[in-house]
C-alpha cells in the first residue's frame, strides 16, 4: 500500500464526494480543478539549476541558509549571530523555495488526478518527481548535509533537516499516484531514494543530532523516519520512530501541565507549540494506520499528546490569552493537530475551535499546511457531516 498518512477507505470516500460534487463538494471540485490546471503549468524544478551552491561543490546537494542568523553589527565580516524568530530574508532560498513549490504542486496534481480521474495531472506529477529525485542528471542527493548553513560557523547543521516536511507532503501525494499502474516505476524509484534518505537520517551525524534536538526538530525527525519507513516497508525503522516518541519525545518535551517548555522559550512560542503538535499528530497518525495507538500513549503521570492538546486548546480558542513570547503577533488558523485529535482522542471541542479559527477562508486554502488542505484529511467537519472517516 502506498498510502502512509491515510488509508484507502478514506481516499475512496474522498474521491466519491469530489466526483459527486453535491453541495459544498461542488465548490471543492471546482477549486481543485482550477488549482490543478494551474499546477500543470508550474515547474519543473531541479536542485541542479542553481549551480554548485552547496559547500561540497556538488550541484546535486541541497543547501540552504539558516533563517534566524544575521551579520554581527559589531563584526560585520565575522560569524553571524542569532536573532531567534527574526527571519533574514536576504539569504539563499533557491533550493528551499523550489522544494516548497515542488511539493505543493505534486500534491495538488496527485490528489486532483486521483479524485477527478485525470491522468494528465498524474503524468505531470510523475514528470516532476523524476526531475527532482530520480533523473541522474538532475536528481537531488538523498541527504541534508548542507541545510541551514551559518556564515562563519558551519556549512550545514541538524536544524536543516526540517525541510523534509516538504518531502512528507510528497510521500502523502504518492499514495494517490500509487493507485495507478502506469507510474509504479516512479514509485519504486522513490522508495529507493527514500530508503537512502532514511538510512542517512538514522545513521549520519547530522541526522542523529536532529533526533536529540529536544524540541520540535526531534519530533519532526521521528515523523520523517516513520513516514519513510512506512512507505518503504522498513518495520525496524518504523519501530525506532515509535520508540523514540515514547522514550524521548513525550517524557522529555511534555510538562505535567501539557505545555511544551522548549517551545515556550522561543520568541514565537505559540507558533512553535502548534508546529510541534502537528508533528506529533502526524507521527501518531502513521502509527495508527499500522496498528499502534500512540495517540493514547501517556507516561505514568499522564503526559502525552492529549495533555498537550488540552493545554493549548483554550489559547487557540482565544489567542489573546497567550502569555508567552510571540514577537510577530501571529493569530493561528485551523490546525492539523486539532482536526486529528477531535477523532483520535474523541475531543470534538478541537474541531469546534478549528472552525472558529478558520473563519471564512477558502475551502482549499492557499497557505501551507503540512499535508495539504485540511478538507482532504480525516476528521474535517465537512467530511463528518456525511459519514465518519476513520
Amino acid at each position: 500500500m502506498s498510502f502512509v498518512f491515510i488509508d484507502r477507505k478514506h481516499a475512496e470516500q474522498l474521491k466519491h464526494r469530489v466526483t459527486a460534487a453535491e453541495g459544498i463538494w461542488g465548490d471543492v471540485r471546482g477549486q481543485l480543478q482550477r488549482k490543478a490546471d494551474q499546477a500543470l503549468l508550474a515547474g519543473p524544478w531541479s536542485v541542479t539549476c542553481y549551480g554548485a551552491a552547496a559547500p561540497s561543490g556538488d550541484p546535486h546537494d541541497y543547501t540552504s541558509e539558516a533563517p534566524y542568523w544575521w551579520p554581527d553589527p559589531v563584526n560585520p565580516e565575522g560569524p553571524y549571530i542569532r536573532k531567534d524568530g527574526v527571519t533574514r530574508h536576504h539569504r539563499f532560498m533557491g533550493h528551499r523555495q523550489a522544494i516548497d513549490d515542488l511539493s505543493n504542486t505534486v500534491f495538488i496534481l496527485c490528489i486532483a488526478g486521483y479524485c477527478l480521474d485525470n491522468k494528465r495531472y498524474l503524468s505531470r506529477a510523475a514528470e516532476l518527481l523524476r526531475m527532482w529525485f530520480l533523473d541522474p542528471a538532475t536528481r537531488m542527493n538523498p541527504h541534508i548535509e548542507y541545510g541551514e548553513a551559518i556564515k562563519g560557523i558551519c556549512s550545514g547543521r541538524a536544524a536543516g533537516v526540517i525541510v523534509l516536511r516538504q518531502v512528507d507532503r510528497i510521500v502523502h501525494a504518492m499514495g494517490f499516484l500509487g493507485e495507478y499502474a502506469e507510474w509504479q516505476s516512479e514509485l519504486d524509484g522513490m522508495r529507493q531514494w527514500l530508503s537512502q534518505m532514511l538510512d542517512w537520517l538514522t545513521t549520519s551525524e547530522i541526522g542523529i543530532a536532529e533526533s536529540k534536538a529536544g524540541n520540535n526538530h526531534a519530533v519532526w525527525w521521528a515523523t520523517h523516519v516513520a513516514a519513510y519507513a512506512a512507505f518503504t516497508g522498513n518495520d525496524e525503522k518504523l519501530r525506532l520512530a515509535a520508540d523514540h516518541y515514547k522514550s524521548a519525545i513525550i517524557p522529555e518535551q511534555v510538562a505535567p501541565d501539557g505545555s511544551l517548555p522548549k517551545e515556550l522559550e522561543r520568541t514565537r512560542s505559540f507558533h512553535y507549540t502548534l508546529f510541534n503538535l502537528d508533528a506529533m499528530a502526524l507521527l501518531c497518525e502513521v502509527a495508527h494506520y499500522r496498528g499502534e495507538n500512540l495517540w493514547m500513549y501517556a507516561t505514568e503521570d499522564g503526559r502525552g499528546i492529549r495533555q498537550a492538546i488540552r493545554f493549548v486548546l483554550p489559547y487557540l480558542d482565544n489567542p489573546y490569552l497567550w502569555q508567552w513570547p510571540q514577537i510577530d503577533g501571529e493569530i493561528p488558523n485551523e490546525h492539523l493537530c486539532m482536526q486529528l485529535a477531535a477523532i483520535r482522542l474523541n475531543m470534538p471541542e478541537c474541531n469546534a475551535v478549528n472552525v472558529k479559527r478558520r473563519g471564512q477562508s477558502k475551502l482549499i486554502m492557499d497557505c501551507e499546511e503540512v499535508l495539504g488542505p485540511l478538507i482532504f484529511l480525516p476528521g474535517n467537519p465537512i467530511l463528518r457531516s456525511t459519514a465518519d472517516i476513520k
Side-chain angles (χ1 to χ4, degrees):
M1 184 181 76
S2 297
F3 291 113
V4 168
F5 297 102
I6 62 173
D7 61 10
R8 182 170 285 110
K9 176 185 176 183
H10 176 83
E12 290 173 348
Q13 292 180 327
L14 183 63
K15 182 174 185 175
H16 172 74
R17 287 175 170 81
V18 173
T19 300
E22 296 174 352
I24 200 169
W25 287 99
D27 294 335
V28 172
R29 180 187 176 96
Q31 290 181 29
L32 181 59
Q33 186 156 5
R34 285 191 295 273
K35 285 185 173 293
D37 287 341
Q38 294 169 359
L40 280 174
L41 305 176
W45 299 272
S46 167
V47 74
T48 62
C49 291
Y50 301 87
S56 64
D58 186 344
H60 296 273
D61 284 341
Y62 174 93
T63 187
S64 65
E65 292 184 271
Y68 301 151
W69 290 77
W70 291 74
D72 185 348
V74 178
N75 181 18
E77 300 304 317
Y80 280 9
I81 60 173
R82 187 169 186 254
K83 299 180 182 181
D84 184 40
V86 183
T87 300
R88 180 171 63 91
H89 295 289
H90 297 294
R91 66 190 196 279
F92 177 69
M93 284 287 290
H95 291 169
R96 173 57 191 270
Q97 188 62 57
I99 200 169
D100 284 1
D101 293 342
L102 171 73
S103 65
N104 290 331
T105 302
V106 167
F107 172 77
I108 288 294
L109 289 171
C110 285
I111 196 166
Y114 173 78
C115 288
L116 303 175
D117 204 21
N118 187 325
K119 293 186 178 181
R120 189 162 64 109
Y121 297 148
L122 297 166
S123 180
R124 179 58 172 172
E127 179 183 354
L128 296 176
L129 292 175
R130 286 194 299 270
M131 188 165 185
W132 186 277
F133 295 103
L134 305 179
D135 188 328
T138 57
R139 73 192 293 267
M140 172 186 163
N141 289 329
H143 65 74
I144 310 287
E145 287 286 344
Y146 305 108
E148 293 212 0
I150 305 170
K151 181 180 177 180
I153 297 178
C154 64
S155 61
R157 61 190 186 125
V161 175
I162 203 76
V163 75
L164 291 179
R165 297 190 328 277
Q166 312 306 328
V167 179
D168 297 348
R169 187 185 294 117
I170 289 171
V171 168
H172 178 46
M174 287 191 295
F176 300 101
L177 185 66
E179 293 298 288
Y180 296 82
E182 292 94 321
W183 295 286
Q184 292 307 309
S185 62
E186 284 81 4
L187 292 177
D188 290 342
M190 288 301 300
R191 287 190 177 92
Q192 182 178 358
W193 193 94
L194 287 165
S195 291
Q196 293 172 326
M197 178 61 82
L198 185 57
D199 287 342
W200 180 85
L201 274 173
T202 54
T203 61
S204 69
E205 182 177 340
I206 281 181
I208 292 170
E210 184 78 338
S211 75
K212 297 177 179 178
N215 61 3
N216 67 83
H217 281 267
V219 187
W220 280 109
W221 174 89
T223 301
H224 306 325
V225 169
Y228 308 161
F231 189 77
T232 61
N234 191 324
D235 292 339
E236 178 185 354
K237 296 296 173 67
L238 193 58
R239 170 50 48 196
L240 173 68
D243 288 346
H244 193 68
Y245 177 83
K246 293 188 284 189
S247 65
I249 290 172
I250 293 301
E252 294 177 10
Q253 295 198 36
V254 181
D257 67 351
S259 66
L260 307 179
K262 288 294 184 180
E263 311 307 339
L264 297 184
E265 296 172 356
R266 303 292 299 273
T267 61
R268 299 176 65 204
S269 58
F270 204 178
H271 165 84
Y272 279 111
T273 293
L274 291 164
F275 187 58
N276 192 325
L277 288 176
D278 279 347
M280 285 190 194
L282 284 178
L283 176 56
C284 291
E285 199 70 351
V286 174
H288 166 80
Y289 288 113
R290 280 139 197 94
E292 180 159 6
N293 195 351
L294 294 182
W295 280 104
M296 300 303 294
Y297 175 80
T299 60
E300 290 185 0
D301 59 355
R303 286 176 289 158
I305 192 170
R306 182 189 294 273
Q307 272 300 89
I309 293 289
R310 282 177 173 166
F311 172 82
V312 80
L313 192 60
Y315 303 107
L316 199 55
D317 184 51
N318 184 356
Y320 297 103
L321 297 177
W322 188 258
Q323 54 194 284
W324 295 272
Q326 184 63 27
I327 62 173
D328 60 3
E330 177 181 339
I331 299 296
N333 209 303
E334 58 180 342
H335 262 267
L336 171 70
C337 58
M338 293 292 148
Q339 181 168 309
L340 293 175
I343 55 172
R344 304 301 178 217
L345 299 174
N346 192 25
M347 296 177 67
E349 62 270 30
C350 292
N351 254 341
V353 167
N354 251 7
V355 169
K356 182 177 180 179
R357 293 272 60 84
R358 175 178 233 283
Q360 298 299 313
S361 299
K362 296 177 182 177
L363 294 169
I364 303 179
M365 297 176 66
D366 294 327
C367 65
E368 176 185 324
E369 285 288 349
V370 182
L371 294 184
L374 296 185
I375 193 171
F376 296 130
L377 292 168
N380 192 281
I382 296 175
L383 291 173
R384 289 173 63 82
S385 65
T386 304
D388 287 349
I389 295 179
K390 302 292 185 179

Short mmCIF file of all heavy atoms in Angstrom, two decimals, residues 270 274 312-321 329-336 338-339 349-362 365 367 369 374 381:
data_model
loop_
_atom_site.label_atom_id
_atom_site.label_comp_id
_atom_site.label_asym_id
_atom_site.label_seq_id
_atom_site.Cartn_x
_atom_site.Cartn_y
_atom_site.Cartn_z
N PHE A 270 3.93 30.46 20.52
CA PHE A 270 2.62 29.92 20.11
C PHE A 270 2.77 29.15 18.80
O PHE A 270 2.29 28.03 18.65
CB PHE A 270 1.63 31.06 19.96
CG PHE A 270 0.17 30.67 20.09
CD1 PHE A 270 -0.81 31.64 20.02
CD2 PHE A 270 -0.22 29.36 20.31
CE1 PHE A 270 -2.16 31.32 20.15
CE2 PHE A 270 -1.56 29.02 20.44
CZ PHE A 270 -2.53 30.01 20.35
N LEU A 274 2.31 24.84 18.37
CA LEU A 274 1.41 24.20 17.41
C LEU A 274 2.18 23.44 16.34
O LEU A 274 1.76 22.37 15.89
CB LEU A 274 0.49 25.24 16.78
CG LEU A 274 -0.55 25.84 17.74
CD1 LEU A 274 -1.14 27.12 17.17
CD2 LEU A 274 -1.64 24.83 18.04
N VAL A 312 -3.13 23.63 25.06
CA VAL A 312 -3.15 24.71 24.06
C VAL A 312 -4.56 25.09 23.62
O VAL A 312 -4.77 26.20 23.10
CB VAL A 312 -2.29 24.30 22.84
CG1 VAL A 312 -3.04 23.37 21.90
CG2 VAL A 312 -1.77 25.52 22.09
N LEU A 313 -5.53 24.23 23.84
CA LEU A 313 -6.88 24.44 23.31
C LEU A 313 -7.50 25.78 23.73
O LEU A 313 -8.05 26.50 22.89
CB LEU A 313 -7.78 23.27 23.71
CG LEU A 313 -9.13 23.17 23.01
CD1 LEU A 313 -8.95 23.03 21.50
CD2 LEU A 313 -9.91 21.97 23.55
N PRO A 314 -7.45 26.17 25.02
CA PRO A 314 -8.07 27.46 25.40
C PRO A 314 -7.43 28.65 24.70
O PRO A 314 -8.11 29.64 24.41
CB PRO A 314 -7.86 27.53 26.91
CG PRO A 314 -7.58 26.13 27.34
CD PRO A 314 -6.90 25.47 26.19
N TYR A 315 -6.14 28.56 24.43
CA TYR A 315 -5.44 29.67 23.79
C TYR A 315 -5.72 29.71 22.29
O TYR A 315 -5.72 30.78 21.69
CB TYR A 315 -3.93 29.55 24.03
CG TYR A 315 -3.58 29.51 25.50
CD1 TYR A 315 -3.17 28.33 26.11
CD2 TYR A 315 -3.67 30.66 26.28
CE1 TYR A 315 -2.85 28.30 27.45
CE2 TYR A 315 -3.36 30.64 27.63
CZ TYR A 315 -2.94 29.45 28.21
OH TYR A 315 -2.64 29.42 29.55
N LEU A 316 -5.98 28.56 21.70
CA LEU A 316 -6.38 28.56 20.30
C LEU A 316 -7.80 29.09 20.17
O LEU A 316 -8.14 29.75 19.17
CB LEU A 316 -6.29 27.13 19.74
CG LEU A 316 -6.22 26.97 18.23
CD1 LEU A 316 -5.08 27.78 17.64
CD2 LEU A 316 -6.06 25.51 17.85
N ASP A 317 -8.62 28.85 21.18
CA ASP A 317 -9.97 29.40 21.20
C ASP A 317 -9.93 30.92 21.33
O ASP A 317 -10.70 31.63 20.67
CB ASP A 317 -10.75 28.80 22.36
CG ASP A 317 -12.20 29.24 22.39
OD1 ASP A 317 -12.87 29.13 21.35
OD2 ASP A 317 -12.65 29.73 23.45
N ASN A 318 -9.00 31.43 22.15
CA ASN A 318 -8.83 32.87 22.32
C ASN A 318 -7.34 33.18 22.36
O ASN A 318 -6.73 33.19 23.43
CB ASN A 318 -9.51 33.36 23.59
CG ASN A 318 -9.43 34.87 23.75
OD1 ASN A 318 -8.80 35.57 22.95
ND2 ASN A 318 -10.05 35.40 24.79
N PRO A 319 -6.72 33.42 21.20
CA PRO A 319 -5.27 33.61 21.14
C PRO A 319 -4.76 34.78 21.99
O PRO A 319 -3.57 34.82 22.33
CB PRO A 319 -5.01 33.86 19.65
CG PRO A 319 -6.16 33.21 18.95
CD PRO A 319 -7.33 33.42 19.86
N TYR A 320 -5.64 35.72 22.32
CA TYR A 320 -5.20 36.88 23.08
C TYR A 320 -4.88 36.53 24.54
O TYR A 320 -4.32 37.35 25.27
CB TYR A 320 -6.24 37.98 23.00
CG TYR A 320 -6.43 38.48 21.58
CD1 TYR A 320 -7.54 38.09 20.82
CD2 TYR A 320 -5.48 39.30 20.98
CE1 TYR A 320 -7.69 38.52 19.52
CE2 TYR A 320 -5.64 39.74 19.67
CZ TYR A 320 -6.74 39.34 18.94
OH TYR A 320 -6.88 39.76 17.64
N LEU A 321 -5.22 35.32 24.97
CA LEU A 321 -4.88 34.88 26.31
C LEU A 321 -3.44 34.34 26.41
O LEU A 321 -2.94 34.14 27.49
CB LEU A 321 -5.85 33.78 26.77
CG LEU A 321 -7.32 34.18 26.90
CD1 LEU A 321 -8.16 32.96 27.28
CD2 LEU A 321 -7.50 35.30 27.92
N GLY A 329 3.13 38.54 16.55
CA GLY A 329 1.69 38.76 16.73
C GLY A 329 0.81 37.83 15.93
O GLY A 329 -0.34 38.14 15.64
N GLU A 330 1.33 36.66 15.59
CA GLU A 330 0.60 35.71 14.74
C GLU A 330 -0.69 35.21 15.40
O GLU A 330 -0.69 34.84 16.58
CB GLU A 330 1.51 34.51 14.44
CG GLU A 330 0.87 33.41 13.64
CD GLU A 330 1.84 32.25 13.41
OE1 GLU A 330 3.06 32.47 13.51
OE2 GLU A 330 1.37 31.14 13.15
N ILE A 331 -1.78 35.23 14.67
CA ILE A 331 -3.04 34.64 15.11
C ILE A 331 -3.21 33.32 14.36
O ILE A 331 -3.33 33.32 13.13
CB ILE A 331 -4.24 35.56 14.83
CG1 ILE A 331 -4.07 36.89 15.58
CG2 ILE A 331 -5.54 34.88 15.24
CD1 ILE A 331 -4.06 36.77 17.08
N PRO A 332 -3.23 32.20 15.05
CA PRO A 332 -3.27 30.91 14.36
C PRO A 332 -4.54 30.71 13.55
O PRO A 332 -5.60 31.25 13.86
CB PRO A 332 -3.19 29.89 15.51
CG PRO A 332 -2.67 30.66 16.68
CD PRO A 332 -3.15 32.05 16.50
N ASN A 333 -4.39 29.89 12.51
CA ASN A 333 -5.52 29.44 11.72
C ASN A 333 -5.93 28.07 12.25
O ASN A 333 -5.49 27.65 13.33
CB ASN A 333 -5.13 29.38 10.24
CG ASN A 333 -6.32 29.63 9.32
OD1 ASN A 333 -7.32 28.92 9.39
ND2 ASN A 333 -6.21 30.63 8.46
N GLU A 334 -6.78 27.35 11.52
CA GLU A 334 -7.09 25.98 11.89
C GLU A 334 -5.82 25.14 11.83
O GLU A 334 -4.88 25.46 11.11
CB GLU A 334 -8.15 25.41 10.94
CG GLU A 334 -7.75 25.44 9.49
CD GLU A 334 -8.82 24.87 8.58
OE1 GLU A 334 -9.71 24.16 9.06
OE2 GLU A 334 -8.76 25.14 7.37
N HIS A 335 -5.79 24.04 12.62
CA HIS A 335 -4.57 23.24 12.69
C HIS A 335 -4.85 21.75 12.56
O HIS A 335 -5.84 21.23 13.08
CB HIS A 335 -3.81 23.52 13.99
CG HIS A 335 -2.70 24.50 13.80
ND1 HIS A 335 -1.42 24.13 13.52
CD2 HIS A 335 -2.71 25.85 13.83
CE1 HIS A 335 -0.66 25.21 13.38
NE2 HIS A 335 -1.42 26.26 13.57
N LEU A 336 -3.93 21.10 11.87
CA LEU A 336 -4.00 19.65 11.65
C LEU A 336 -4.11 18.89 12.96
O LEU A 336 -4.91 17.97 13.09
CB LEU A 336 -2.75 19.20 10.88
CG LEU A 336 -2.53 17.70 10.73
CD1 LEU A 336 -3.57 17.11 9.80
CD2 LEU A 336 -1.13 17.40 10.22
N MET A 338 -5.38 19.65 15.75
CA MET A 338 -6.71 19.75 16.35
C MET A 338 -7.72 18.89 15.59
O MET A 338 -8.56 18.22 16.20
CB MET A 338 -7.16 21.22 16.34
CG MET A 338 -6.36 22.11 17.25
SD MET A 338 -6.65 21.70 18.99
CE MET A 338 -5.05 22.10 19.69
N GLN A 339 -7.64 18.92 14.28
CA GLN A 339 -8.58 18.12 13.47
C GLN A 339 -8.44 16.64 13.76
O GLN A 339 -9.43 15.92 13.91
CB GLN A 339 -8.33 18.40 11.99
CG GLN A 339 -9.28 17.63 11.06
CD GLN A 339 -9.20 18.12 9.63
OE1 GLN A 339 -9.32 19.33 9.39
NE2 GLN A 339 -9.00 17.23 8.68
N GLU A 349 -14.42 19.19 20.83
CA GLU A 349 -14.16 20.61 21.07
C GLU A 349 -12.98 21.13 20.23
O GLU A 349 -12.90 22.32 19.94
CB GLU A 349 -13.91 20.87 22.56
CG GLU A 349 -12.70 20.16 23.16
CD GLU A 349 -13.01 18.78 23.73
OE1 GLU A 349 -13.93 18.11 23.20
OE2 GLU A 349 -12.33 18.37 24.69
N CYS A 350 -12.10 20.23 19.84
CA CYS A 350 -10.97 20.63 18.99
C CYS A 350 -11.44 21.07 17.62
O CYS A 350 -10.95 22.07 17.07
CB CYS A 350 -9.98 19.46 18.85
SG CYS A 350 -9.13 19.03 20.37
N ASN A 351 -12.40 20.37 17.06
CA ASN A 351 -12.93 20.78 15.76
C ASN A 351 -13.74 22.07 15.89
O ASN A 351 -13.74 22.91 14.98
CB ASN A 351 -13.80 19.68 15.16
CG ASN A 351 -13.10 18.96 14.02
OD1 ASN A 351 -12.14 19.46 13.45
ND2 ASN A 351 -13.60 17.78 13.68
N ALA A 352 -14.42 22.24 17.01
CA ALA A 352 -15.18 23.48 17.21
C ALA A 352 -14.25 24.69 17.19
O ALA A 352 -14.55 25.72 16.58
CB ALA A 352 -15.95 23.41 18.52
N VAL A 353 -13.10 24.54 17.83
CA VAL A 353 -12.13 25.63 17.84
C VAL A 353 -11.52 25.82 16.45
O VAL A 353 -11.30 26.96 16.00
CB VAL A 353 -11.03 25.35 18.89
CG1 VAL A 353 -9.85 26.30 18.71
CG2 VAL A 353 -11.60 25.49 20.29
N ASN A 354 -11.26 24.74 15.75
CA ASN A 354 -10.73 24.85 14.40
C ASN A 354 -11.68 25.61 13.48
O ASN A 354 -11.26 26.44 12.67
CB ASN A 354 -10.46 23.46 13.82
CG ASN A 354 -8.98 23.16 13.69
OD1 ASN A 354 -8.13 23.93 14.14
ND2 ASN A 354 -8.65 22.04 13.07
N VAL A 355 -12.97 25.31 13.59
CA VAL A 355 -13.96 26.01 12.78
C VAL A 355 -13.94 27.51 13.10
O VAL A 355 -14.02 28.36 12.20
CB VAL A 355 -15.36 25.42 13.01
CG1 VAL A 355 -16.44 26.29 12.38
CG2 VAL A 355 -15.43 24.00 12.44
N LYS A 356 -13.81 27.83 14.36
CA LYS A 356 -13.74 29.23 14.78
C LYS A 356 -12.52 29.92 14.20
O LYS A 356 -12.59 31.05 13.72
CB LYS A 356 -13.72 29.30 16.30
CG LYS A 356 -13.71 30.70 16.88
CD LYS A 356 -13.78 30.65 18.40
CE LYS A 356 -13.78 32.05 19.01
NZ LYS A 356 -13.87 31.98 20.50
N ARG A 357 -11.38 29.25 14.24
CA ARG A 357 -10.13 29.83 13.73
C ARG A 357 -10.14 29.94 12.21
O ARG A 357 -9.50 30.80 11.64
CB ARG A 357 -8.93 29.01 14.18
CG ARG A 357 -8.66 29.05 15.68
CD ARG A 357 -7.76 30.22 16.10
NE ARG A 357 -8.27 31.54 15.78
CZ ARG A 357 -9.12 32.22 16.54
NH1 ARG A 357 -9.58 31.70 17.66
NH2 ARG A 357 -9.51 33.42 16.18
N ARG A 358 -10.83 29.03 11.56
CA ARG A 358 -10.86 29.03 10.10
C ARG A 358 -11.61 30.23 9.54
O ARG A 358 -11.21 30.83 8.55
CB ARG A 358 -11.53 27.74 9.61
CG ARG A 358 -11.73 27.66 8.13
CD ARG A 358 -12.34 26.33 7.74
NE ARG A 358 -11.57 25.68 6.72
CZ ARG A 358 -11.60 26.02 5.45
NH1 ARG A 358 -12.35 27.02 5.06
NH2 ARG A 358 -10.88 25.40 4.56
N GLY A 359 -12.69 30.60 10.16
CA GLY A 359 -13.46 31.74 9.69
C GLY A 359 -14.02 31.50 8.30
O GLY A 359 -14.53 30.43 7.98
N GLN A 360 -13.90 32.49 7.43
CA GLN A 360 -14.46 32.42 6.08
C GLN A 360 -13.39 32.10 5.03
O GLN A 360 -13.52 32.48 3.88
CB GLN A 360 -15.14 33.76 5.75
CG GLN A 360 -16.29 34.10 6.66
CD GLN A 360 -17.39 33.06 6.61
OE1 GLN A 360 -17.81 32.65 5.52
NE2 GLN A 360 -17.86 32.62 7.78
N SER A 361 -12.35 31.38 5.43
CA SER A 361 -11.28 31.05 4.50
C SER A 361 -11.77 30.15 3.37
O SER A 361 -12.83 29.52 3.47
CB SER A 361 -10.15 30.34 5.24
OG SER A 361 -9.60 31.15 6.25
N LYS A 362 -11.00 30.10 2.30
CA LYS A 362 -11.34 29.23 1.17
C LYS A 362 -11.35 27.77 1.62
O LYS A 362 -10.66 27.39 2.57
CB LYS A 362 -10.32 29.41 0.05
CG LYS A 362 -10.29 30.78 -0.57
CD LYS A 362 -9.19 30.86 -1.63
CE LYS A 362 -9.10 32.25 -2.23
NZ LYS A 362 -7.99 32.34 -3.21
N MET A 365 -7.27 26.15 0.95
CA MET A 365 -6.57 27.36 1.33
C MET A 365 -5.23 27.47 0.60
O MET A 365 -4.59 26.47 0.27
CB MET A 365 -6.36 27.39 2.84
CG MET A 365 -7.67 27.42 3.61
SD MET A 365 -7.43 27.33 5.40
CE MET A 365 -6.58 28.88 5.69
N CYS A 367 -2.58 29.02 1.94
CA CYS A 367 -1.47 28.94 2.87
C CYS A 367 -1.03 27.49 3.04
O CYS A 367 -1.79 26.55 2.82
CB CYS A 367 -1.85 29.54 4.22
SG CYS A 367 -3.15 28.65 5.09
N GLU A 369 -0.19 23.99 4.49
CA GLU A 369 -0.48 23.02 5.53
C GLU A 369 0.48 21.85 5.34
O GLU A 369 0.97 21.62 4.23
CB GLU A 369 -1.92 22.53 5.46
CG GLU A 369 -2.95 23.54 5.97
CD GLU A 369 -2.92 23.72 7.48
OE1 GLU A 369 -2.25 22.91 8.16
OE2 GLU A 369 -3.56 24.66 7.97
N LEU A 374 -6.70 20.90 4.82
CA LEU A 374 -7.26 20.02 5.84
C LEU A 374 -8.57 19.37 5.39
O LEU A 374 -8.97 18.33 5.93
CB LEU A 374 -7.49 20.80 7.13
CG LEU A 374 -6.24 21.34 7.82
CD1 LEU A 374 -6.59 21.98 9.15
CD2 LEU A 374 -5.19 20.26 8.02
N PRO A 381 -14.77 18.61 9.70
CA PRO A 381 -16.22 18.65 9.94
C PRO A 381 -17.06 18.50 8.68
O PRO A 381 -18.16 17.98 8.73
CB PRO A 381 -16.41 20.03 10.59
CG PRO A 381 -15.10 20.38 11.17
CD PRO A 381 -14.08 19.77 10.27
#
